[in-house]
Amino acid sequence: MSETENTIAIIGMSGRFPGAGHVGQFWDNLKHGQESITFFTDDMLREAGVREDKLHAPNYVKAAPVLTDIGKFDYPFFGMSKREADMLDPQHRLLLMCAWEALEDAGYVADAYEGLISLFAGCGFNNYLVNEILSRKDDFSEEELQMVLQTNSNDYLSTRISYKLNLRGTSVTLQTACSTSLVAVHYACQSLLMYQSDLALAGGASLRIPAVEGYMYQEGGIFSPDGHCRAFDAEAKGTIFGSGAGIVALKRLEDALEHRDHIYALIKGSAANNDGSSKVGYTAPSVEGQRRVVSEAMMMAEADPRTIGYIEAHGTGTVLGDPIEIAALQEAFGDTGAKQYCAIGSVKTNIGHLNAASGIAGLIKSVLMLYNKQIPPSLHYHRPNPAIDFKESPFYVNTALTDWAAAAHPRRAGVSSFGIGGTNAHLILEEAPTSPKAESRMEQVLLLSARTDTALDSMAAALHRHLQLHPELAMEDVAYTLQVGRQAFPYRYAALSGVDGGLKLIGKNKTDKGKAKIIFMFPGQGSQYINMAAGLYEHISLFRRWADKCFAELNKHLGTDLAPILFGSSEDGGANAALLEQTAIAQPLLFVVEYALARCLMDWGLEPHAMIGHSLGEYVAACIAGVISLEDALAIIVKRGELMQQSPGGAMLAVSAPFGEIGGFADEGIHLSAVNNPGSCTVAGDGEAILRLAARLETAGIGHKLLPVSHAYHSPLMAPVLEPFEQVMQKYKLHAPHIPYISNITGDYMTEAQVKNTRYWSDHIRETVNFSAGIETLRQSGNLMWLEVGPGKALTQLVHQHGIESLKGNVLNMMRHSKEDESDVSALLKGLSACWLSGADIQWEKLHPALPGRVSLPTYPFEGRQCWIDGKQDSEWVEEQGLATAAGDSEVVRSSADRAHLSTAYVPPADGLQGNLVDIWEQVLGIRPIGIKDDFFELGGHSLLATQLISRLRNLIPEIEIQFDRIFNYPTIEGIAEQIEMQMIEHLESNFH
């Protein structure tokens, strides 16, 4: 059997435990021997409503493992209304957040995952329903009581999470009391091994409600007399129950290795069984049942007991349970010939017994031990339970943080969880295989996004802290994980990481709901420079493949390799620069660079809505549009360059004024070559005439610049070229464009007739480049993103000079200017990032042909808001947000934060009907303020809430019948009000007649 067969990789984790809001804090508490039990004062208990007689009872233990902020939930993030969130069992909320975090920690987005993601989970008894909901049942309408059932039944725990996260695999809720979450992990492993899932989430949650409450100790019972769990100790007399939640993300090891996932640890074998009836009573543990489950897990793992260095025991610290567990483990291990080589411990000594979440807590603890190669202390152990003879067993209780020494075999651990009623589970874990550290050879772009601006700021701060704490991380792995392993939200942040690991902000932005249409702009001759795109050729394999394909084709026509001219060494720089000024060389090389870059952008997801080229650039646009094949285009460009170079010499001058304003300064041989914007032009002509014009413009104070060209392009001086070039074009088949692009001659979109007229192509060499008119034509298309796909920034500047108010940073360069001191890769990544910041979808994974690894990074910072059915506000959160409630309103926080995720601005009601509808919507959805243009479903509404809405509308206006489908067809207050008014008019008219 191969090393990977029947092995499961743990690739993601999330948890919330007493004293720990996340897994990292949990491990820090464990290794420092932190006991996370809260001991309450009498005043704390009185404030929580505990009766005085209880407070003074001698056997009332004033302690509990408390999970903080159990009422806080980021309901807008999950598309819920405040009212639904208030009703939802907090256990379900916790697991929903943990499931999201576990997937993010694994580096996956459910929406983009091609395989099946399954979920196996369970939770504890619903104290929220009993203590908070049912006591207020008379306040609920019939429709709301239906929602109470759906939001508080464990039947809907897993399926709701699968719905909210778009998980399309098996979705099962399991309930086996204390062993629930570890049994869930076992069945998740089985689902993966049977190829019913490709990725599986598994875990559980349990909450004690009310949280601030002690318990009554009874001699011989399961509860601890003093609030401490003393597993395996002689003074152990019981455990203490608390709250927590956790989920792990799992994959088959072979798949995890193939996809270079971040692996915390391996599950080599798992088993689950039941005691049956061969024990003292239903709630009693069984040596035989526990022995069988441990033995089966070791058999599945093919693990010799002598290779197991740690057991995370169920370890409840009860007089009866601890000796039975050790006896079962001894029988399962058998006679190993060695004593006290296997450490044993129980997380319950740190955080208490988390009921349905206890197994996942023990599993996550053990995984962290293997990952960090340390064994933390099991607390409160001084001398063994008299019924346990550790000296004659393989086990010893570990009481101090120790390094887990390497051995001839991998480090291994066992994890047990036993449920009241007899369902037992055991897992055999193994440390993850080592993977070589990747080296970043180029800059990387780090992307973050969130639903709100404040969450984005929190994410950025968390990422910076994480990178400072983990300098060993390869930046390519970090970048890849953030690019492909996180869902994109409207508020976006991008930073560039240099090869030295330093970060530089590229930008922050909130994307508009409508995506901009992409315009490709291809510059013409004059923008070239030595070593242009050399960095792209070196580091971007896709660019190199397209460029090499072009070079190979060019070599057939030129008989020489152009690549060394473009990407030559510094010693050849002067000679190559001189060659690059020759039209016959410059034009083919510019075409290669622009075409290869355009193909890369398209492969990465930036499909152009339309294109425009400047002179030579129009040929790139034509080739991309399918007018000319690549092979034909390269042959044409070579011949075009040769012919133009053979034409009479000349010069060109860029002038900062319209042609009509400089006519008095120009000699007769000066011709309008290009109209680039309404306030400037380019002229061409005889070299001496151009120099005379430049001198006159200097005297007149008119800006101008002599262009680095050897000929007077787009002027009558090109006349000798026209007929021979038209004959060249007649040899090639020309096709109608399948992507629209602009003609330089007309400034309008190219037509099929123009494309197939060979005279057009010869005229193109002589006629004025009407680039400005082309920009005006394109801007009629609406929201645009202009990308200069080639060297320099000439076209970018021309677009800006048109004074288009709606640009908002949507004019971008994909390559650096020759004088800019940055790398080619940096310029490209900044351009791509700017596209992404503006809302474009980019297939970032294609920028990493050699698959990087996924790494564990900070997950989404949920912005919790108090969600509790009693309507009490979280005063601390309200104070932090600087908010206030409406007078006499104890149910709903008036908050702009509630509206942060909406696509509409707030519009108040305009009349009484709309005002009444607003009141109803706010009551049903539980948030304020709601505007008349807000979408019911974007506010968190769904079909069950729509039923409540319809019921209240019918009570408001009983004389008309409002159909259920109206909410779906008219999901705004404005729309519903119009429908009601129409029906009321119809009702009055029918009564009148």
Side-chain angles (χ1 to χ4, degrees):
M1 187 173 71
S2 70
E3 289 292 322
T4 62
E5 194 172 350
N6 292 333
T7 301
I8 301 300
I10 299 173
I11 63 170
M13 297 194 297
S14 172
R16 286 167 170 73
F17 304 109
H22 53 81
V23 167
Q25 190 175 8
F26 182 47
W27 172 247
D28 194 61
N29 291 345
L30 290 172
K31 70 180 184 180
H32 288 103
Q34 177 71 43
E35 182 187 41
S36 299
I37 307 297
T38 300
F39 289 84
F40 306 119
T41 65
D42 285 356
D43 286 342
M44 292 167 67
L45 292 167
R46 285 190 186 97
E47 189 176 348
V50 177
R51 301 192 317 270
E52 286 295 325
D53 58 327
K54 263 193 176 182
L55 283 179
H56 299 296
N59 60 336
Y60 184 65
V61 181
K62 303 170 184 178
V66 174
L67 194 64
T68 59
D69 295 332
I70 61 172
K72 288 188 175 181
F73 181 54
D74 193 348
Y75 62 87
F77 182 89
F78 293 104
M80 291 188 188
S81 70
K82 178 66 163 58
R83 187 61 170 167
E84 182 182 8
D86 286 344
M87 292 185 177
L88 184 61
D89 183 352
Q91 296 178 119
H92 296 204
R93 303 180 207 160
L94 271 176
L95 276 182
L96 181 55
M97 291 187 287
C98 285
W100 180 276
E101 292 169 345
L103 265 181
E104 278 201 339
D105 188 53
Y108 285 96
V109 177
D111 286 343
Y113 190 70
E114 294 181 355
L116 292 176
I117 303 178
S118 294
L119 173 65
F120 298 82
C123 62
F125 181 75
N126 190 344
N127 291 292
Y128 187 68
L129 176 66
V130 172
N131 294 316
E132 304 291 339
I133 300 286
L134 294 182
S135 62
R136 297 174 176 82
K137 66 179 185 297
D138 292 340
D139 298 334
F140 297 123
S141 66
E142 288 295 325
E143 295 83 4
E144 285 180 316
L145 287 174
Q146 180 63 31
M147 185 187 287
V148 166
L149 174 64
Q150 194 181 88
T151 53
N152 285 274
S153 170
N154 287 357
D155 288 351
Y156 308 111
L157 168 67
S158 293
T159 53
R160 176 179 283 101
I161 295 172
S162 294
Y163 170 69
K164 291 295 183 182
L165 271 58
N166 193 24
L167 312 181
R168 296 173 292 106
T170 306
S171 188
V172 175
T173 300
L174 298 166
Q175 298 296 155
T176 63
C178 312
S179 60
T180 291
S181 53
L182 206 63
V183 170
V185 175
H186 165 70
Y187 280 108
C189 292
Q190 295 297 305
S191 177
L192 288 164
L193 294 175
M194 291 189 289
Y195 289 83
Q196 295 174 340
S197 307
D198 300 295
L199 194 158
L201 302 177
S206 185
L207 286 180
R208 291 179 74 251
I209 297 174
V212 182
E213 186 177 55
Y215 60 88
M216 302 299 289
Y217 166 72
Q218 291 184 336
E219 184 72 31
I222 196 173
F223 289 100
S224 164
D226 59 3
H228 302 291
C229 179
R230 307 174 186 277
F232 310 116
D233 189 77
E235 298 300 318
K237 295 181 181 178
T239 192
I240 180 170
F241 287 88
S243 303
I247 281 185
V248 291
L250 310 173
K251 249 191 182 183
R252 291 179 290 272
L253 177 58
E254 57 190 346
D255 294 342
L257 292 173
E258 179 185 351
H259 301 141
R260 297 202 61 205
D261 291 322
H262 173 247
I263 302 175
Y264 285 102
L266 308 178
I267 300 175
K268 298 293 291 184
S270 68
N273 70 5
N274 193 271
D275 295 335
S277 62
S278 58
K279 55 182 180 178
V280 175
Y282 173 69
T283 61
S286 162
V287 171
E288 175 59 18
Q290 293 180 20
R291 179 198 65 78
R292 283 191 295 108
V293 81
V294 174
S295 298
E296 185 179 345
M298 287 194 295
M299 180 187 70
M300 291 290 296
E302 297 185 344
D304 187 318
R306 289 171 294 185
T307 68
I308 298 174
Y310 177 78
I311 293 291
E312 174 61 26
H314 188 60
T316 55
T318 57
V319 176
L320 177 64
D322 286 359
I324 286 178
E325 183 168 7
I326 297 301
L329 284 167
Q330 282 186 268
E331 290 186 19
F333 270 54
D335 185 5
T336 62
K339 306 297 183 186
Q340 294 195 292
Y341 64 87
C342 180
I344 195 168
S346 171
V347 74
K348 294 178 180 65
T349 64
N350 301 89
I351 59 173
H353 191 328
L354 304 190
N355 204 309
S358 62
I360 199 68
L363 173 63
I364 290 175
K365 171 191 171 182
S366 303
V367 168
L368 292 169
M369 291 166 57
L370 289 165
Y371 187 73
N372 292 286
K373 300 176 175 53
Q374 289 182 306
I375 302 177
S378 192
L379 308 183
H380 309 307
Y381 179 83
H382 302 288
R383 56 192 180 93
N385 185 312
I388 301 173
D389 187 0
F390 279 119
K391 291 182 179 179
E392 293 302 314
S393 79
F395 312 109
Y396 68 94
V397 179
N398 187 69
T399 58
L401 178 67
T402 57
D403 291 332
W404 195 337
H409 53 78
R411 296 173 180 86
R412 288 181 180 146
V415 184
S416 292
S417 190
F418 311 132
I420 286 179
T423 295
N424 311 302
H426 191 80
L427 269 60
I428 300 296
L429 307 181
E430 184 175 288
E431 64 182 328
T434 57
S435 57
K437 182 180 182 295
E439 295 292 336
S440 296
R441 297 183 299 109
M442 63 180 219
E443 296 92 336
Q444 302 293 333
V445 59
L446 309 186
L447 308 177
L448 299 172
S449 68
R451 289 176 63 92
T452 67
D453 190 42
T454 50
L456 184 62
D457 288 342
S458 297
M459 292 177 80
L463 178 64
H464 280 265
R465 286 195 302 269
H466 188 82
L467 295 179
Q468 289 173 351
L469 291 171
H470 298 279
E472 76 282 1
L473 289 174
M475 291 310 295
E476 186 172 8
D477 293 345
V478 173
Y480 180 74
T481 302
L482 293 174
Q483 289 164 5
V484 306
R486 298 293 187 269
Q487 186 165 318
F489 294 110
Y491 289 88
R492 299 186 177 188
Y493 163 103
L496 189 71
S497 167
V499 291
D500 60 354
L503 289 184
K504 182 178 180 181
L505 178 67
I506 296 174
K508 285 177 63 179
N509 191 36
K510 181 180 186 293
T511 63
D512 295 324
K513 193 160 190 177
K515 292 178 183 175
K517 300 170 184 174
I518 294 170
I519 305 297
F520 279 4
M521 302 189 296
F522 301 104
Q525 190 174 344
S527 59
Q528 73 273 12
Y529 55 86
I530 196 69
N531 274 327
M532 63 176 173
L536 303 184
Y537 188 81
E538 179 184 358
H539 293 292
I540 308 295
S541 59
L542 181 62
F543 181 90
R544 185 167 56 253
R545 287 200 299 272
W546 279 113
D548 284 346
K549 183 176 182 178
C550 293
F551 285 136
E553 195 65 31
L554 286 172
N555 291 349
K556 298 176 185 178
H557 302 285
L558 295 170
T560 185
D561 187 3
L562 292 187
I565 297 175
L566 187 58
F567 308 134
S569 64
S570 57
E571 291 80 9
D572 302 325
N576 288 340
L579 287 171
L580 202 56
E581 290 181 3
Q582 297 182 18
T583 300
I585 299 296
Q587 290 194 5
L589 287 179
L590 272 170
F591 183 96
V592 170
V593 168
E594 293 176 15
Y595 180 86
L597 181 54
R599 282 297 181 193
C600 287
L601 296 178
M602 293 169 71
D603 195 55
W604 296 333
L606 294 173
E607 289 286 342
H609 168 74
M611 299 178 287
I612 185 171
H614 196 287
S615 188
L616 169 74
E618 187 170 323
Y619 285 80
V620 185
C623 187
I624 293 293
V627 169
I628 323 169
S629 70
L630 176 60
E631 293 75 15
D632 290 351
L634 290 167
I636 291 169
I637 290 298
V638 167
K639 197 64 181 175
R640 182 179 188 265
E642 290 175 353
L643 290 170
M644 293 176 74
Q645 186 163 319
Q646 293 167 10
S647 65
M652 301 180 73
L653 189 72
V655 183
S656 300
F659 187 70
E661 293 183 10
I662 65 168
F665 299 101
D667 294 341
E668 187 175 341
I670 300 295
H671 307 280
L672 178 62
S673 175
V675 179
N676 292 323
N677 67 61
S680 68
C681 67
T682 300
V683 294
D686 175 76
E688 292 184 2
I690 288 291
L691 290 176
R692 288 195 295 271
L693 174 61
R696 293 164 188 162
L697 294 175
E698 181 72 27
T699 303
I702 298 173
H704 59 279
K705 179 183 179 183
L706 193 66
L707 299 182
V709 296
S710 57
H711 293 74
Y713 304 124
H714 298 284
S715 77
L717 275 70
M718 291 286 107
V721 174
L722 304 187
E723 185 176 345
F725 186 68
E726 186 173 352
Q727 292 174 1
V728 169
M729 292 302 297
Q730 288 171 357
K731 299 177 183 179
Y732 299 100
K733 188 171 180 62
L734 304 171
H735 308 273
H738 62 255
I739 301 175
Y741 73 96
I742 297 293
S743 161
N744 280 172
I745 297 177
T746 67
D748 206 343
Y749 288 104
M750 282 290 287
T751 65
E752 184 174 356
Q754 286 173 316
V755 161
K756 294 182 177 181
N757 182 355
T758 55
R759 182 65 181 268
Y760 172 85
W761 298 97
S762 59
D763 286 346
H764 185 273
I765 294 175
R766 180 182 57 188
E767 296 295 331
T768 301
V769 175
N770 203 348
F771 191 79
S772 181
I775 295 297
E776 292 299 325
T777 298
L778 287 170
R779 69 185 292 183
Q780 304 307 313
S781 298
N783 183 21
L784 301 177
M785 186 180 297
W786 309 75
L787 308 185
E788 184 161 4
V789 186
K793 297 184 175 180
L795 303 190
T796 300
Q797 292 171 351
L798 296 182
V799 174
H800 276 298
Q801 288 166 8
H802 277 72
I804 304 173
E805 295 181 1
S806 60
L807 291 179
K808 296 180 180 177
N810 280 7
V811 185
L812 308 169
N813 303 96
M814 296 294 111
M815 287 181 62
R816 67 179 179 89
H817 190 275
S818 60
K819 295 182 179 179
E820 285 183 315
D821 185 22
E822 70 173 334
S823 73
D824 293 324
V825 170
S826 172
L828 174 63
L829 291 178
K830 284 166 67 175
L832 289 172
S833 299
C835 292
W836 181 80
L837 287 169
S838 295
D841 293 326
I842 295 175
Q843 298 178 40
W844 295 101
E845 67 276 7
K846 292 186 177 181
L847 274 81
H848 305 274
L851 185 67
R854 285 177 166 87
V855 292
S856 176
L857 296 170
T859 56
Y860 194 90
F862 294 120
E863 297 181 300
R865 308 170 200 181
Q866 188 72 0
C867 298
W868 213 252
I869 199 64
D870 62 5
K872 292 179 181 177
Q873 297 165 31
D874 183 334
S875 57
E876 180 183 347
W877 182 82
V878 172
E879 185 177 344
E880 287 174 0
Q881 299 295 322
L883 305 173
T885 55
D889 184 359
S890 63
E891 291 189 3
V892 186
V893 176
R894 285 194 176 271
S895 166
S896 58
D898 279 339
R899 301 188 52 84
H901 67 290
L902 299 180
S903 61
T904 50
Y906 173 72
V907 178
D911 54 41
L913 175 59
Q914 290 184 353
N916 288 331
L917 295 179
V918 165
D919 290 341
I920 292 174
W921 281 42
E922 290 179 345
Q923 291 166 19
V924 169
L925 294 167
I927 62 173
R928 287 184 179 173
I930 293 177
I932 62 170
K933 293 184 181 293
D934 298 340
D935 187 285
F936 176 75
F937 299 101
E938 196 175 7
L939 289 163
H942 49 70
S943 57
L944 202 57
L945 285 172
T947 302
Q948 294 184 39
L949 199 62
I950 292 295
S951 176
R952 297 196 184 202
L953 289 176
R954 289 171 179 167
N955 290 334
L956 176 67
I957 313 171
E959 61 269 22
I960 65 171
E961 182 70 17
I962 300 174
Q963 300 301 320
F964 184 77
D965 62 356
R966 290 298 173 96
I967 294 296
F968 293 86
N969 295 330
Y970 305 94
T972 67
I973 288 171
E974 186 178 52
I976 284 292
E978 289 177 359
Q979 292 300 304
I980 290 174
E981 287 171 349
M982 288 172 57
Q983 286 187 255
M984 290 178 71
I985 292 171
E986 291 172 1
H987 175 74
L988 290 172
E989 288 178 346
S990 63
N991 287 342
F992 178 78
H993 292 298

